[in-house]
Coordinates of all heavy atoms in Angstrom, one line a residue:
M11 N 67.2 59.1 39.8 CA 68.0 58.4 40.8 C 67.9 56.9 40.6 O 66.8 56.4 40.5 CB 67.6 58.8 42.2 CG 68.5 58.3 43.3 SD 68.1 58.8 45.0 CE 67.5 60.4 44.8
S12 N 69.0 56.1 40.7 CA 68.9 54.7 40.4 C 68.9 53.9 41.7 O 69.0 52.7 41.6 CB 70.1 54.3 39.5 OG 71.3 54.5 40.2
Y13 N 68.7 54.5 42.8 CA 68.7 53.8 44.1 C 67.7 54.4 45.1 O 67.3 55.6 44.9 CB 70.1 53.7 44.7 CG 70.6 55.0 45.2 CD1 70.4 55.5 46.4 CD2 71.4 55.8 44.3 CE1 70.9 56.7 46.8 CE2 71.9 57.0 44.7 CZ 71.6 57.5 46.0 OH 72.1 58.7 46.3
T14 N 67.4 53.7 46.1 CA 66.5 54.3 47.2 C 67.2 54.0 48.5 O 67.7 52.8 48.7 CB 65.1 53.6 47.2 OG1 64.6 53.7 45.9 CG2 64.2 54.3 48.2
K15 N 67.3 54.9 49.4 CA 68.0 54.8 50.7 C 67.1 55.1 51.8 O 66.3 56.1 51.7 CB 69.2 55.7 50.7 CG 70.0 55.6 52.0 CD 71.1 56.6 52.1 CE 71.7 56.7 53.4 NZ 72.8 57.7 53.6
V16 N 67.1 54.3 52.8 CA 66.3 54.6 54.0 C 67.0 54.1 55.3 O 67.7 53.1 55.2 CB 64.9 54.0 53.9 CG1 64.9 52.5 53.9 CG2 63.9 54.5 55.0
N17 N 66.8 54.8 56.4 CA 67.3 54.3 57.6 C 66.2 53.6 58.3 O 65.1 54.3 58.6 CB 67.9 55.5 58.5 CG 68.5 55.0 59.8 OD1 67.9 54.2 60.5 ND2 69.7 55.5 60.0
Y18 N 66.3 52.4 58.7 CA 65.2 51.6 59.2 C 64.6 52.2 60.5 O 63.5 52.1 60.8 CB 65.5 50.1 59.4 CG 66.2 49.8 60.7 CD1 65.4 49.4 61.8 CD2 67.6 49.7 60.8 CE1 66.1 49.0 63.0 CE2 68.2 49.3 62.0 CZ 67.4 49.0 63.1 OH 68.0 48.6 64.2
T19 N 65.5 52.9 61.3 CA 65.0 53.5 62.5 C 64.0 54.7 62.3 O 63.3 55.1 63.2 CB 66.2 54.1 63.4 OG1 66.9 55.1 62.7 CG2 67.1 52.9 63.8
H20 N 63.9 55.1 61.0 CA 63.0 56.2 60.7 C 61.6 55.6 60.2 O 60.7 56.4 59.8 CB 63.6 57.1 59.6 CG 64.8 57.8 60.1 ND1 65.7 58.3 59.2 CD2 65.2 58.1 61.3 CE1 66.7 58.8 59.9 NE2 66.4 58.8 61.2
V21 N 61.5 54.3 60.1 CA 60.3 53.6 59.7 C 59.6 53.1 60.9 O 60.1 52.4 61.8 CB 60.6 52.4 58.8 CG1 59.4 51.6 58.4 CG2 61.4 52.9 57.5
E22 N 58.3 53.5 61.1 CA 57.5 53.2 62.2 C 57.4 51.7 62.4 O 57.0 51.0 61.4 CB 56.1 53.8 62.0 CG 55.2 53.8 63.3 CD 55.8 54.7 64.4 OE1 56.4 55.7 64.1 OE2 55.5 54.4 65.6
P23 N 57.7 51.2 63.6 CA 57.7 49.7 63.8 C 56.2 49.2 63.9 O 55.3 49.9 64.4 CB 58.4 49.5 65.1 CG 58.3 50.8 65.8 CD 58.2 51.8 64.8
V24 N 56.0 48.0 63.5 CA 54.8 47.2 63.7 C 55.0 46.2 64.8 O 56.1 45.6 64.9 CB 54.4 46.5 62.4 CG1 53.1 45.7 62.6 CG2 54.1 47.5 61.3
A25 N 54.0 46.0 65.7 CA 54.2 45.1 66.8 C 55.4 45.5 67.7 O 56.0 44.6 68.2 CB 54.2 43.7 66.3
D26 N 55.7 46.8 67.7 CA 56.8 47.3 68.5 C 58.1 46.7 68.2 O 59.1 46.9 69.0 CB 56.5 47.1 70.0 CG 55.3 47.8 70.5 OD1 55.1 49.0 70.1 OD2 54.6 47.3 71.4
A27 N 58.3 46.1 67.0 CA 59.6 45.5 66.7 C 59.9 45.4 65.2 O 61.1 45.4 64.9 CB 59.6 44.0 67.3
M28 N 59.0 45.4 64.3 CA 59.2 45.1 62.9 C 59.2 46.3 62.1 O 58.2 47.0 62.0 CB 58.2 44.0 62.4 CG 58.2 42.8 63.2 SD 57.1 41.6 62.6 CE 58.1 40.8 61.4
H29 N 60.3 46.6 61.4 CA 60.4 47.8 60.5 C 60.4 47.2 59.1 O 61.4 46.7 58.6 CB 61.8 48.5 60.8 CG 61.9 49.0 62.2 ND1 61.6 50.2 62.5 CD2 62.4 48.4 63.3 CE1 61.9 50.4 63.8 NE2 62.3 49.3 64.3
F30 N 59.2 47.3 58.5 CA 59.0 46.8 57.1 C 59.6 47.8 56.1 O 59.1 49.0 56.1 CB 57.5 46.6 56.8 CG 56.9 45.5 57.6 CD1 56.1 45.7 58.7 CD2 57.2 44.1 57.3 CE1 55.6 44.7 59.5 CE2 56.6 43.1 58.0 CZ 55.8 43.4 59.1
L31 N 60.5 47.4 55.3 CA 61.2 48.3 54.4 C 60.8 48.2 52.9 O 61.3 49.0 52.1 CB 62.7 48.1 54.5 CG 63.3 48.3 55.9 CD1 64.8 48.1 56.0 CD2 62.9 49.7 56.5
R32 N 60.0 47.2 52.5 CA 59.6 47.0 51.1 C 59.1 48.3 50.5 O 59.5 48.8 49.5 CB 58.6 45.9 51.0 CG 58.2 45.7 49.5 CD 57.1 44.7 49.4 NE 57.6 43.3 49.6 CZ 57.7 42.4 48.6 NH1 57.3 42.7 47.4 NH2 58.2 41.2 48.8
G33 N 58.1 48.9 51.2 CA 57.5 50.2 50.7 C 58.4 51.3 50.7 O 58.6 52.0 49.7
P34 N 59.1 51.6 51.8 CA 60.0 52.8 51.9 C 61.1 52.7 50.9 O 61.6 53.7 50.4 CB 60.5 52.8 53.3 CG 59.4 52.1 54.1 CD 58.8 51.1 53.2
L35 N 61.6 51.4 50.6 CA 62.6 51.2 49.6 C 62.1 51.1 48.1 O 62.9 50.9 47.2 CB 63.5 50.0 50.0 CG 64.4 50.2 51.2 CD1 65.0 48.8 51.6 CD2 65.5 51.2 50.9
D36 N 60.8 51.1 48.0 CA 60.2 50.9 46.6 C 60.6 49.6 46.0 O 60.8 49.5 44.8 CB 60.6 52.1 45.7 CG 60.0 53.4 46.2 OD1 58.9 53.4 46.7 OD2 60.7 54.4 46.0
C37 N 60.7 48.5 46.8 CA 61.1 47.2 46.3 C 60.0 46.6 45.5 O 58.8 46.7 45.9 CB 61.4 46.2 47.5 SG 62.9 46.7 48.4
E38 N 60.3 46.0 44.4 CA 59.3 45.3 43.6 C 59.3 43.8 43.7 O 58.3 43.2 43.5 CB 59.6 45.7 42.1 CG 59.4 47.1 41.8 CD 59.7 47.5 40.4 OE1 59.8 46.6 39.5 OE2 59.9 48.7 40.1
Q39 N 60.4 43.2 44.0 CA 60.5 41.7 44.1 C 60.9 41.2 45.4 O 60.8 40.0 45.6 CB 61.5 41.2 43.0 CG 61.2 41.6 41.6 CD 59.9 40.9 41.2 OE1 59.7 39.8 41.5 NE2 59.0 41.7 40.5
V40 N 61.4 42.0 46.3 CA 62.0 41.5 47.6 C 61.4 42.3 48.8 O 61.2 43.5 48.6 CB 63.5 41.5 47.6 CG1 64.1 42.9 47.5 CG2 64.1 40.7 48.8
G41 N 61.1 41.6 49.8 CA 60.8 42.3 51.1 C 61.9 42.2 52.1 O 62.6 41.2 52.2
V42 N 62.1 43.3 52.8 CA 63.2 43.4 53.8 C 62.6 44.0 55.0 O 61.9 45.0 55.0 CB 64.4 44.3 53.3 CG1 65.4 44.3 54.4 CG2 65.0 43.7 52.0
T43 N 62.8 43.3 56.1 CA 62.3 43.7 57.4 C 63.5 43.7 58.4 O 64.2 42.7 58.5 CB 61.2 42.8 57.9 OG1 60.1 42.9 57.0 CG2 60.6 43.3 59.3
I44 N 63.6 44.7 59.3 CA 64.5 44.7 60.4 C 63.7 44.4 61.6 O 62.7 45.1 61.8 CB 65.3 46.0 60.6 CG1 66.0 46.4 59.3 CG2 66.3 45.9 61.7 CD1 67.1 45.4 58.8
L45 N 64.0 43.4 62.4 CA 63.3 43.0 63.6 C 64.2 43.3 64.8 O 65.2 42.6 65.0 CB 62.9 41.6 63.5 CG 62.2 40.9 64.7 CD1 60.9 41.7 65.0 CD2 61.9 39.5 64.4
D46 N 63.8 44.3 65.6 CA 64.5 44.6 66.9 C 63.6 44.0 68.0 O 62.6 44.6 68.3 CB 64.6 46.1 67.1 CG 65.7 46.7 66.2 OD1 66.7 46.0 66.0 OD2 65.6 47.9 65.8
C47 N 64.1 42.9 68.6 CA 63.3 42.2 69.6 C 63.7 42.6 71.0 O 64.9 42.5 71.3 CB 63.5 40.7 69.4 SG 63.0 40.1 67.9
E48 N 62.8 42.9 71.8 CA 63.0 43.0 73.3 C 63.1 41.6 73.9 O 62.6 40.7 73.3 CB 61.9 43.8 73.9 CG 61.8 45.2 73.5 CD 62.9 46.1 74.0 OE1 63.4 45.8 75.1 OE2 63.3 47.0 73.3
P49 N 63.8 41.5 75.0 CA 63.8 40.2 75.7 C 62.4 39.6 75.8 O 61.5 40.3 76.2 CB 64.5 40.5 77.0 CG 65.3 41.7 76.8 CD 64.5 42.5 75.8
G50 N 62.3 38.3 75.4 CA 61.0 37.6 75.6 C 60.0 37.8 74.5 O 58.9 37.3 74.5
W51 N 60.3 38.7 73.5 CA 59.4 39.0 72.4 C 59.1 37.7 71.6 O 60.0 36.9 71.3 CB 60.0 40.0 71.5 CG 59.1 40.5 70.4 CD1 58.2 41.6 70.5 CD2 58.9 40.0 69.1 NE1 57.6 41.7 69.3 CE2 58.0 40.8 68.4 CE3 59.5 38.9 68.4 CZ2 57.6 40.5 67.1 CZ3 59.1 38.7 67.1 CH2 58.2 39.5 66.4
T52 N 57.8 37.6 71.2 CA 57.4 36.4 70.4 C 56.5 36.9 69.3 O 55.6 37.7 69.5 CB 56.6 35.4 71.2 OG1 57.4 34.8 72.3 CG2 56.1 34.3 70.4
G53 N 56.8 36.5 68.1 CA 56.0 36.8 66.9 C 54.8 35.9 66.8 O 54.6 35.0 67.5
K54 N 54.0 36.2 65.7 CA 52.8 35.4 65.5 C 53.2 34.2 64.6 O 54.0 34.4 63.7 CB 51.8 36.3 64.7 CG 51.2 37.4 65.5 CD 50.2 38.1 64.6 CE 49.6 39.3 65.4 NZ 48.6 40.0 64.6
P55 N 52.6 33.1 64.9 CA 52.8 31.9 63.9 C 52.2 32.3 62.6 O 51.1 32.9 62.5 CB 52.0 30.8 64.6 CG 51.7 31.2 66.0 CD 51.8 32.7 66.0
H56 N 53.0 32.0 61.5 CA 52.5 32.3 60.2 C 53.3 31.6 59.1 O 54.3 31.0 59.4 CB 52.6 33.8 59.9 CG 54.0 34.3 59.8 ND1 54.9 34.5 60.8 CD2 54.7 34.7 58.7 CE1 56.0 34.9 60.4 NE2 56.0 35.0 59.1
D57 N 52.8 31.6 57.9 CA 53.5 31.0 56.8 C 53.2 32.0 55.6 O 52.5 33.0 55.8 CB 53.1 29.6 56.4 CG 51.6 29.5 56.0 OD1 51.1 30.3 55.1 OD2 50.9 28.6 56.5
H58 N 53.8 31.7 54.5 CA 53.7 32.5 53.3 C 53.3 31.7 52.1 O 53.6 32.0 50.9 CB 54.9 33.3 53.0 CG 55.2 34.4 54.0 ND1 54.5 35.6 54.1 CD2 56.1 34.4 55.0 CE1 54.9 36.3 55.1 NE2 55.9 35.6 55.7
A59 N 52.5 30.6 52.3 CA 52.1 29.7 51.3 C 51.3 30.3 50.2 O 51.5 30.1 49.0 CB 51.4 28.5 51.9
D60 N 50.4 31.2 50.6 CA 49.5 31.8 49.7 C 50.3 32.8 48.7 O 49.9 32.9 47.5 CB 48.4 32.6 50.4 CG 47.4 31.7 51.0 OD1 47.3 30.5 50.7 OD2 46.6 32.3 51.9
E61 N 51.3 33.4 49.3 CA 52.1 34.4 48.4 C 53.2 33.7 47.7 O 53.8 34.3 46.9 CB 52.6 35.5 49.3 CG 51.6 36.3 50.1 CD 51.3 35.7 51.5 OE1 51.8 34.6 51.8 OE2 50.7 36.4 52.3
G62 N 53.6 32.5 48.2 CA 54.8 31.8 47.6 C 56.1 32.5 48.0 O 57.1 32.3 47.3
H63 N 56.1 33.1 49.2 CA 57.3 33.8 49.6 C 58.3 32.9 50.4 O 57.9 32.4 51.4 CB 57.0 35.0 50.5 CG 56.3 36.1 49.8 ND1 55.8 37.2 50.5 CD2 56.0 36.3 48.5 CE1 55.3 38.0 49.7 NE2 55.3 37.5 48.5
E64 N 59.5 32.8 49.8 CA 60.5 32.1 50.6 C 61.2 33.2 51.4 O 61.2 34.3 51.0 CB 61.6 31.6 49.5 CG 62.8 31.0 50.1 CD 63.7 30.5 49.0 OE1 64.0 31.3 48.1 OE2 64.1 29.4 49.1
E65 N 61.6 32.8 52.6 CA 62.3 33.8 53.5 C 63.6 33.3 54.0 O 63.8 32.1 54.2 CB 61.4 34.1 54.7 CG 60.1 34.9 54.4 CD 59.4 35.3 55.7 OE1 59.2 34.5 56.6 OE2 59.0 36.5 55.7
V66 N 64.5 34.3 54.3 CA 65.7 34.0 55.0 C 65.8 34.9 56.2 O 65.5 36.1 56.1 CB 66.9 34.2 54.1 CG1 68.2 34.1 54.9 CG2 66.9 33.3 53.0
Y67 N 66.0 34.4 57.4 CA 66.2 35.1 58.6 C 67.7 35.1 59.0 O 68.2 34.0 59.1 CB 65.4 34.5 59.8 CG 63.9 34.6 59.7 CD1 63.2 34.0 60.7 CD2 63.2 35.1 58.6 CE1 61.8 34.0 60.7 CE2 61.8 35.1 58.6 CZ 61.1 34.5 59.6 OH 59.7 34.5 59.6
V68 N 68.3 36.3 59.2 CA 69.6 36.4 59.6 C 69.6 37.0 61.0 O 69.1 38.2 61.1 CB 70.5 37.2 58.7 CG1 72.0 37.3 59.2 CG2 70.4 36.6 57.3
L69 N 70.1 36.3 62.0 CA 70.2 36.9 63.4 C 71.5 37.6 63.5 O 72.6 37.0 63.4 CB 70.1 35.8 64.4 CG 70.1 36.3 65.9 CD1 69.0 37.2 66.1 CD2 70.1 35.1 66.8
V70 N 71.5 39.0 63.5 CA 72.7 39.8 63.5 C 73.2 39.9 65.0 O 74.4 40.0 65.1 CB 72.3 41.2 63.0 CG1 73.5 42.1 63.0 CG2 71.8 41.1 61.5
E71 N 72.3 40.0 65.9 CA 72.7 40.2 67.3 C 71.8 39.5 68.2 O 70.6 39.5 68.0 CB 72.7 41.7 67.6 CG 73.1 42.1 69.0 CD 73.1 43.6 69.1 OE1 72.7 44.4 68.2 OE2 73.5 44.1 70.2
G72 N 72.3 38.9 69.3 CA 71.5 38.3 70.3 C 71.4 36.8 70.2 O 72.2 36.1 69.5
A73 N 70.3 36.2 70.7 CA 70.0 34.8 70.6 C 68.5 34.6 70.6 O 67.8 35.3 71.3 CB 70.6 34.0 71.9
A74 N 68.0 33.7 69.8 CA 66.6 33.5 69.6 C 66.3 32.0 69.1 O 67.3 31.3 68.8 CB 66.1 34.5 68.6
T75 N 65.1 31.7 69.1 CA 64.6 30.4 68.6 C 63.6 30.7 67.6 O 62.7 31.5 67.7 CB 64.0 29.5 69.7 OG1 65.0 29.4 70.7 CG2 63.6 28.2 69.2
V76 N 63.6 29.9 66.5 CA 62.6 30.0 65.5 C 61.9 28.6 65.5 O 62.6 27.6 65.2 CB 63.1 30.3 64.1 CG1 62.0 30.4 63.1 CG2 63.8 31.7 64.1
A77 N 60.6 28.6 65.7 CA 59.8 27.3 65.6 C 59.4 27.2 64.1 O 58.8 28.1 63.6 CB 58.6 27.4 66.5
V78 N 59.9 26.1 63.5 CA 59.6 25.8 62.1 C 58.8 24.5 62.0 O 59.3 23.4 62.4 CB 60.8 25.7 61.3 CG1 60.5 25.5 59.8 CG2 61.7 26.9 61.4
D79 N 57.5 24.6 61.7 CA 56.6 23.4 61.7 C 56.7 22.6 63.0 O 56.8 21.4 62.9 CB 56.9 22.5 60.4 CG 56.5 23.2 59.1 OD1 55.6 24.0 59.1 OD2 57.2 22.9 58.1
G80 N 56.8 23.3 64.1 CA 56.8 22.7 65.4 C 58.2 22.3 65.9 O 58.3 21.9 67.1
E81 N 59.2 22.4 65.1 CA 60.6 22.1 65.5 C 61.3 23.4 65.9 O 61.3 24.4 65.2 CB 61.4 21.5 64.3 CG 62.8 21.1 64.7 CD 63.6 20.5 63.6 OE1 63.0 20.1 62.6 OE2 64.8 20.5 63.6
E82 N 61.9 23.4 67.1 CA 62.6 24.5 67.7 C 64.0 24.6 67.1 O 64.8 23.6 67.3 CB 62.6 24.5 69.2 CG 61.3 24.5 69.9 CD 60.6 25.8 69.8 OE1 61.2 26.9 69.8 OE2 59.3 25.8 69.6
V83 N 64.4 25.7 66.5 CA 65.7 25.9 65.9 C 66.4 27.0 66.6 O 65.9 28.2 66.5 CB 65.6 26.2 64.4 CG1 67.1 26.3 63.8 CG2 64.9 25.1 63.6
S84 N 67.4 26.7 67.4 CA 68.1 27.8 68.1 C 69.1 28.5 67.2 O 69.8 27.9 66.4 CB 69.0 27.1 69.3 OG 68.1 26.5 70.2
L85 N 69.1 29.8 67.4 CA 70.0 30.7 66.6 C 70.8 31.6 67.5 O 70.3 32.0 68.5 CB 69.2 31.6 65.7 CG 68.2 31.0 64.7 CD1 67.4 32.0 63.9 CD2 69.0 30.1 63.7
E86 N 72.0 31.8 67.1 CA 72.9 32.8 67.8 C 73.4 33.7 66.7 O 73.2 33.5 65.5 CB 74.1 32.1 68.5 CG 74.9 31.3 67.6 CD 76.0 30.5 68.3 OE1 75.7 29.9 69.4 OE2 77.2 30.5 67.9
A87 N 74.0 34.9 67.2 CA 74.4 35.9 66.2 C 75.2 35.3 65.1 O 76.1 34.5 65.4 CB 75.2 37.0 67.0
G88 N 74.9 35.7 63.9 CA 75.6 35.2 62.7 C 74.9 34.1 62.0 O 75.2 33.7 60.8
D89 N 73.9 33.4 62.7 CA 73.2 32.3 62.0 C 72.1 32.8 61.1 O 71.5 33.9 61.3 CB 72.5 31.4 63.1 CG 73.5 30.6 63.9 OD1 74.6 30.4 63.5 OD2 73.1 30.1 65.0
A90 N 71.9 32.0 60.0 CA 70.8 32.3 59.1 C 70.0 31.0 58.9 O 70.6 29.9 59.0 CB 71.4 32.8 57.7
I91 N 68.7 31.2 58.6 CA 67.9 30.1 58.4 C 67.0 30.4 57.2 O 66.4 31.5 57.1 CB 67.0 29.7 59.6 CG1 66.2 28.5 59.4 CG2 66.2 30.9 60.1 CD1 65.5 28.0 60.7
R92 N 66.8 29.5 56.3 CA 65.9 29.6 55.1 C 64.6 28.9 55.4 O 64.6 27.8 55.9 CB 66.6 29.0 53.9 CG 65.7 29.1 52.6 CD 66.0 27.9 51.7 NE 64.9 27.7 50.8 CZ 64.0 26.8 50.9 NH1 64.0 26.0 51.9 NH2 63.0 26.7 50.0
L93 N 63.5 29.6 55.1 CA 62.2 29.0 55.3 C 61.4 29.0 54.0 O 61.2 30.0 53.4 CB 61.5 29.9 56.3 CG 62.2 30.1 57.7 CD1 61.8 31.3 58.4 CD2 62.1 28.8 58.5
P94 N 60.9 27.8 53.6 CA 60.1 27.7 52.4 C 58.7 28.3 52.7 O 58.3 28.4 53.8 CB 60.0 26.1 52.2 CG 60.2 25.5 53.5 CD 61.1 26.4 54.3
P95 N 58.0 28.6 51.6 CA 56.8 29.3 51.8 C 55.7 28.7 52.7 O 55.1 29.3 53.5 CB 56.2 29.4 50.4 CG 57.4 29.4 49.5 CD 58.4 28.5 50.2
A96 N 55.6 27.3 52.6 CA 54.5 26.6 53.4 C 54.9 26.3 54.8 O 54.0 25.9 55.6 CB 54.2 25.4 52.6
A97 N 56.1 26.5 55.2 CA 56.5 26.2 56.6 C 56.0 27.2 57.6 O 56.1 28.4 57.4 CB 58.1 26.2 56.7
E98 N 55.3 26.8 58.6 CA 54.8 27.7 59.7 C 56.0 28.1 60.5 O 56.8 27.2 61.0 CB 53.7 27.0 60.5 CG 53.2 28.0 61.5 CD 52.0 27.5 62.3 OE1 50.9 27.6 61.9 OE2 52.3 26.9 63.4
R99 N 56.2 29.4 60.8 CA 57.3 29.8 61.5 C 56.8 30.8 62.6 O 55.9 31.6 62.4 CB 58.4 30.4 60.6 CG 58.1 31.8 60.0 CD 57.3 31.9 58.8 NE 57.3 30.9 57.8 CZ 57.8 31.1 56.6 NH1 58.4 32.2 56.2 NH2 57.8 30.1 55.7
T100 N 57.6 30.8 63.7 CA 57.3 31.7 64.8 C 58.7 32.1 65.4 O 59.5 31.2 65.8 CB 56.4 31.1 65.9 OG1 55.3 30.6 65.3 CG2 56.1 32.2 67.0
I101 N 59.0 33.3 65.6 CA 60.2 33.8 66.3 C 60.0 33.9 67.7 O 59.0 34.6 68.2 CB 60.7 35.1 65.7 CG1 61.1 34.9 64.2 CG2 61.9 35.6 66.5 CD1 61.5 36.2 63.5
H102 N 60.9 33.4 68.6 CA 60.8 33.5 70.0 C 62.2 34.1 70.4 O 63.2 33.4 70.3 CB 60.6 32.2 70.7 CG 59.4 31.4 70.3 ND1 58.2 31.8 70.7 CD2 59.3 30.4 69.5 CE1 57.3 30.9 70.2 NE2 57.9 30.1 69.4
N103 N 62.2 35.3 70.9 CA 63.4 36.0 71.3 C 63.9 35.4 72.6 O 63.1 35.0 73.5 CB 63.3 37.5 71.4 CG 64.7 38.1 71.5 OD1 65.6 37.7 70.9 ND2 64.7 39.2 72.2
G104 N 65.2 35.5 72.9 CA 65.8 35.0 74.1 C 65.7 36.0 75.2 O 64.8 36.9 75.3
D105 N 66.7 36.0 76.1 CA 66.7 36.8 77.3 C 67.4 38.2 77.1 O 67.4 39.0 78.1 CB 67.4 36.1 78.5 CG 66.7 34.8 78.9 OD1 65.5 34.7 78.7 OD2 67.4 33.8 79.3
T106 N 67.9 38.4 75.9 CA 68.5 39.7 75.7 C 67.9 40.3 74.4 O 67.2 39.6 73.7 CB 70.1 39.5 75.5 OG1 70.3 38.7 74.3 CG2 70.8 38.9 76.7
E107 N 68.2 41.5 74.1 CA 67.7 42.1 72.9 C 68.4 41.4 71.7 O 69.5 41.0 71.8 CB 68.1 43.6 72.9 CG 67.4 44.4 73.9 CD 67.7 45.9 73.8 OE1 68.5 46.3 72.9 OE2 67.2 46.7 74.7
S108 N 67.6 41.3 70.6 CA 68.1 40.7 69.4 C 67.7 41.5 68.2 O 66.7 42.2 68.2 CB 67.5 39.3 69.2 OG 68.0 38.4 70.2
T109 N 68.5 41.4 67.1 CA 68.2 42.1 65.9 C 68.3 41.1 64.8 O 69.3 40.4 64.6 CB 69.2 43.2 65.6 OG1 69.1 44.2 66.7 CG2 68.9 43.9 64.3
F110 N 67.3 41.0 64.0 CA 67.2 40.1 62.8 C 67.1 41.0 61.5 O 66.6 42.1 61.6 CB 65.9 39.3 62.8 CG 65.9 38.1 63.6 CD1 65.5 38.2 64.9 CD2 66.2 36.8 63.1 CE1 65.4 37.0 65.7 CE2 66.1 35.7 63.9 CZ 65.7 35.8 65.2
V111 N 67.6 40.5 60.4 CA 67.3 41.0 59.1 C 66.5 39.8 58.5 O 66.9 38.7 58.4 CB 68.5 41.3 58.3 CG1 68.2 41.7 56.8 CG2 69.4 42.4 58.9
L112 N 65.3 40.1 58.0 CA 64.4 39.2 57.4 C 64.2 39.6 56.0 O 63.9 40.7 55.6 CB 63.0 39.2 58.1 CG 63.0 39.2 59.6 CD1 61.5 39.3 60.1 CD2 63.6 37.9 60.2
V113 N 64.4 38.6 55.1 CA 64.3 38.9 53.6 C 63.4 37.8 53.0 O 63.5 36.6 53.3 CB 65.7 38.8 53.0 CG1 65.6 39.0 51.5 CG2 66.7 39.7 53.6
G114 N 62.5 38.3 52.2 CA 61.5 37.4 51.5 C 61.3 37.8 50.1 O 61.4 39.0 49.7
A115 N 61.1 36.8 49.3 CA 60.8 37.0 47.8 C 60.0 35.8 47.3 O 60.1 34.8 47.9 CB 62.1 37.1 47.1
P116 N 59.3 35.9 46.2 CA 59.3 37.1 45.4 C 58.3 38.1 45.9 O 57.5 37.9 46.7 CB 58.7 36.6 44.1 CG 58.0 35.3 44.4 CD 58.6 34.8 45.6

């Protein structure tokens, strides 16, 4: 078979929100995560400097803020933000449920 298919809702969430799909999809170069946020959900501050991972966050539904190196960036459905590996980032969900697609590589 030349492809791998998975439904993210069948992948056990981490921190009650993050469905990591790299393993279930057998990805070698890219990480994909679906983030289903409850109102008021906040992620952990982190970066990917050690791994050299660049990330793109796409907000599919809802409204949220991403703190990037201390700067608050407001996002609404349809917005995407690119984050370099060394940038510290934290997702802060708004007052409604939100869904993100998070992609990182290499």
Side-chain angles (χ1 to χ4, degrees):
M11 185 179 326
S12 62
Y13 66 90
T14 307
K15 178 183 173 186
V16 66
N17 186 309
Y18 86 90
T19 61
H20 299 154
V21 176
E22 192 68 30
V24 174
D26 295 324
M28 304 181 85
H29 302 266
F30 294 103
L31 302 180
R32 179 184 285 250
L35 286 171
D36 297 322
C37 294
E38 295 178 15
Q39 299 295 319
V40 65
V42 179
T43 302
I44 305 300
L45 175 60
D46 282 329
C47 303
E48 293 293 324
W51 185 90
T52 296
K54 293 180 181 181
H56 69 286
D57 64 47
H58 292 285
D60 290 344
E61 303 92 348
H63 292 176
E64 175 180 52
E65 288 187 314
V66 173
Y67 293 178
V68 181
L69 183 59
V70 177
E71 182 178 4
T75 301
V76 179
V78 183
D79 290 333
E81 180 182 343
E82 300 288 324
V83 181
S84 296
L85 301 176
E86 59 185 46
D89 287 343
I91 184 171
R92 178 208 161 261
L93 303 160
E98 183 177 272
R99 74 277 325 247
T100 308
I101 296 173
H102 304 282
N103 192 37
D105 296 330
T106 62
E107 293 181 3
S108 294
T109 301
F110 281 88
V111 175
L112 314 176
V113 180

